[in-house]
Amino acid sequence: NPLLKWWGYSICNHGTRRNHTYDATAAPWGTVSAEVFQPSLRALHYNYGWACGEKAEFGDQLFQSHSWSHFCTFVSPSDGQLPTGHIACTTVDGEITPEAKLFRR
């Protein structure tokens, strides 16, 4: 990408600086998840981790050890009635939360 060094081009961006450790002061730009919105169905197609299923090659590619390698679909209710407050769909380890299971299709 000509605008951001170390930023890739795809929905499965494996951002890395090819380091064996993660340096927060020089973090690579990459994705931890992928999202596709489909408003006509009130749907969010979400993948925790890289959608391609590849494994991390370097230590600065975080959060890929629990990658789903596929998209899961979450649909909002047709009556528009959502629980109040914040709804977390996953834990930091990629587990689907009980709240999110209500919307899983």
Side-chain angles (χ1 to χ4, degrees), residues 11-31:
I11 197 166
C12 197
N13 177 4
H14 298 204
T16 184
R17 291 182 185 254
R18 295 183 167 84
N19 292 329
H20 293 289
T21 59
Y22 180 81
D23 180 359
T25 63
W29 292 82
T31 56

Side-chain angles (χ1 to χ4, degrees), residues 7 12 14 17 19-20 23 27-28 30-31 36 42 46-47 51-52 56 59-60 66 70 72 87-88 94 96 103 105:
W7 185 264
C12 197
H14 298 204
R17 291 182 185 254
N19 292 329
H20 293 289
D23 180 359
T31 56
V36 177
R42 301 173 327 279
Y46 179 77
N47 176 69
C52 64
D60 64 354
H66 295 95
H70 65 277
C72 290
I87 301 170
I96 296 175
F103 306 104
R105 301 291 183 264

Side-chain angles (χ1 to χ4, degrees), residues 8-78:
Y9 292 96
S10 73
I11 197 166
C12 197
N13 177 4
H14 298 204
T16 184
R17 291 182 185 254
R18 295 183 167 84
N19 292 329
H20 293 289
T21 59
Y22 180 81
D23 180 359
T25 63
W29 292 82
T31 56
V32 174
S33 65
E35 305 82 19
V36 177
F37 292 98
Q38 189 175 8
S40 63
L41 297 178
R42 301 173 327 279
L44 164 67
H45 307 283
Y46 179 77
N47 176 69
Y48 179 89
W50 295 334
C52 64
E54 291 182 9
K55 303 293 181 200
E57 297 177 89
F58 300 96
D60 64 354
Q61 295 172 306
L62 304 179
F63 306 114
Q64 297 309 316
S65 60
H66 295 95
S67 183
W68 296 349
S69 304
H70 65 277
F71 284 86
C72 290
T73 300
F74 299 90
V75 178
S76 64
S78 59

